[in-house]
Amino acid sequence: MKKLIGIMLTLLMSLGFVFCMACGQNGGTGGGTADDPYAHIPAEYRFKLPVEEYEPDRVCGDTSTGEACAYRSSKTEFDKNDVTLSFYFGTYFVYDDAQTQLERSPFRDYPFLDLYCKAYKPVGTLFEQTGEHFIKRNNGRYISEHYDKYKAIFVCNSHWQLTEIIFNTKEVIKIPAELFTESEGFISFQIRAPHLLDENNIQTFNSVIINYRLEEDKVIIQDDMKIQY
């Protein structure tokens, strides 16, 4: 009986180890510590998430994939002609092997990514687009060739709850002054890519919202950091 209990405990410990490795194993953890395996990654690339106990929509540790997009700023008030923020985006896979991910998710191997800013104003309970700005095109396939560039690490705690997202890609973007036309509204920073069954169909697959208000020539944003996943 004692031998059977020992075997069962060993199996449970092994399973626990596998699940822990599944959550955040994309990290390349060299240089970290036991308490924080990602300590070597600059803080600007790390986004902590508030987590309620057993919050169901923040669970990780399975074999799913995910996208994340975020912005960060050292301030919340800008001159209208110099609204410059750092944007981050990436994709999470449980496994590191890009070719394996390509085989598992063939409809996510985009040949390029387009970055956009779009401006909106509130109209009743809806929103109306007031402007658009193309930022740049990032060439190189999303998964197969440049997976290291676009990958994000989803970190979870012992309850498999998502507690942090760590990015590998950052773009410093100056939002054009002509997008700030309303006394209040929001800017949507968007990642767009072609549908793989129709290359002429460019679709938004991830975005993050920047709420702002305009006071004369000053733009005030609501948060100095926000993340969407």
Side-chain angles (χ1 to χ4, degrees), residues 8-166:
M8 291 177 66
L9 287 174
T10 301
L11 286 172
L12 287 172
M13 291 174 65
S14 298
L15 285 171
F17 175 77
V18 169
F19 287 133
C20 287
M21 289 296 290
C23 186
Q25 68 171 334
N26 290 340
T29 58
T33 66
D35 292 333
D36 183 2
Y38 307 107
H40 62 294
I41 298 176
E44 63 176 312
Y45 289 88
R46 303 178 60 167
F47 287 76
K48 302 285 187 180
L49 301 173
V51 178
E52 299 293 335
E53 187 175 9
Y54 304 117
E55 191 172 358
D57 63 348
R58 296 183 186 274
V59 174
C60 63
D62 56 19
T63 57
S64 64
T65 61
E67 315 293 341
C69 188
Y71 74 82
R72 171 171 274 148
S73 174
S74 60
K75 58 183 182 179
T76 56
E77 183 175 321
F78 302 83
D79 182 271
K80 182 180 177 181
N81 296 303
D82 189 24
V83 182
T84 303
L85 303 171
S86 295
F87 293 97
Y88 306 77
F89 60 96
T91 182
Y92 164 74
F93 290 119
V94 170
Y95 303 104
D96 284 328
D97 179 47
Q99 185 59 39
T100 299
Q101 299 316 313
L102 177 59
E103 292 169 358
R104 293 176 63 230
S105 305
F107 296 108
R108 298 172 71 253
D109 183 40
Y110 307 117
F112 61 84
L113 303 178
D114 284 346
L115 310 185
Y116 277 85
C117 283
K118 290 189 176 184
Y120 298 83
K121 68 177 181 180
V123 180
T125 58
L126 303 175
F127 295 93
E128 177 184 307
Q129 183 176 320
T130 58
E132 176 178 298
H133 173 67
F134 171 72
I135 300 169
K136 64 180 293 189
R137 171 164 291 181
N138 282 6
N139 290 305
R141 307 198 77 87
Y142 188 47
I143 297 176
S144 59
E145 295 179 14
H146 296 291
Y147 175 61
D148 282 346
K149 177 178 179 180
Y150 298 122
K151 74 177 179 180
I153 305 167
F154 280 32
V155 182
C156 62
N157 60 21
S158 59
H159 297 293
W160 299 2
Q161 292 175 283
L162 184 59
T163 59
E164 183 178 14
I165 297 178
I166 303 174

